Amino acid sequence: MDSKRFTAVSIDLVITALINNIPFFFLVIQPSLQGNDPKDPAELMSRAFIASLIAMLYLVFRDLPSSGSIGKMIMRLKVVDAETKAPVSAGRRILRNIPWLLNWIEIFAFIITRKRIGDRIAKTDVIAK
């Protein structure tokens, strides 16, 4: 199960990287290559922040569909209540992903305890469909 879950997270993180890098290319890199660098460093920072914000929003809202994230769909996993194994609300699926904003802490917590911080907070678990 851990290998399926790891693969699902890896798929989602690749998608997150693409979601970050495509806007970053068009907002930051392409203007620089064309010599259209913003003169104000704050504008450059805001463009980079917008690209990152889009990726962060994907990380938090990726489990919003009842079928779960793209990685979970591919690996045939689903998010359920930790005790009853019943499907959980959209709010709890979002709540469990907010700690991903602290990504390295979330990863280390999972490696050490085999349970994500987000799953502990939302009282959820990921199981095979």
Side-chain angles (χ1 to χ4, degrees):
M1 176 59 151
D2 282 347
S3 65
K4 286 180 80 170
R5 194 165 178 185
F6 177 77
T7 303
V9 167
S10 297
I11 291 167
D12 289 332
L13 290 178
V14 166
I15 292 168
T16 303
L18 289 171
I19 290 171
N20 182 66
N21 290 337
I22 292 169
F24 188 83
F25 176 80
F26 287 107
L27 293 172
V28 178
I29 295 174
Q30 185 181 31
S32 295
L33 292 174
Q34 294 175 341
N36 297 329
D37 287 333
K39 304 301 180 230
D40 183 12
E43 183 180 345
L44 184 64
M45 292 298 292
S46 65
R47 289 179 181 190
F49 177 75
I50 289 168
S52 296
L53 180 63
I54 294 167
M56 288 187 279
L57 289 172
Y58 173 74
L59 271 178
V60 172
F61 293 104
R62 66 190 169 157
D63 286 326
L64 190 56
S66 59
S67 56
S69 68
I70 295 170
K72 285 183 193 67
M73 286 188 275
I74 291 170
M75 296 310 298
R76 298 177 188 207
L77 299 172
K78 63 181 178 179
V79 178
V80 296
D81 184 277
E83 291 181 18
T84 66
K85 304 302 181 206
V88 295
S89 68
R92 284 176 65 190
R93 290 193 306 272
I94 292 169
L95 176 63
R96 71 180 292 276
N97 285 328
I98 291 173
W100 265 113
L101 299 176
L102 308 169
N103 54 27
W104 287 109
I105 295 170
E106 184 74 300
I107 290 168
F108 286 131
F110 181 77
I111 290 169
I112 293 168
T113 67
R114 293 288 182 233
K115 185 117 174 139
R116 284 188 42 228
I117 296 168
D119 284 326
R120 291 176 194 278
I121 293 170
K123 296 182 173 85
T124 58
D125 201 1
V126 177
I127 62 170
K129 284 185 180 178

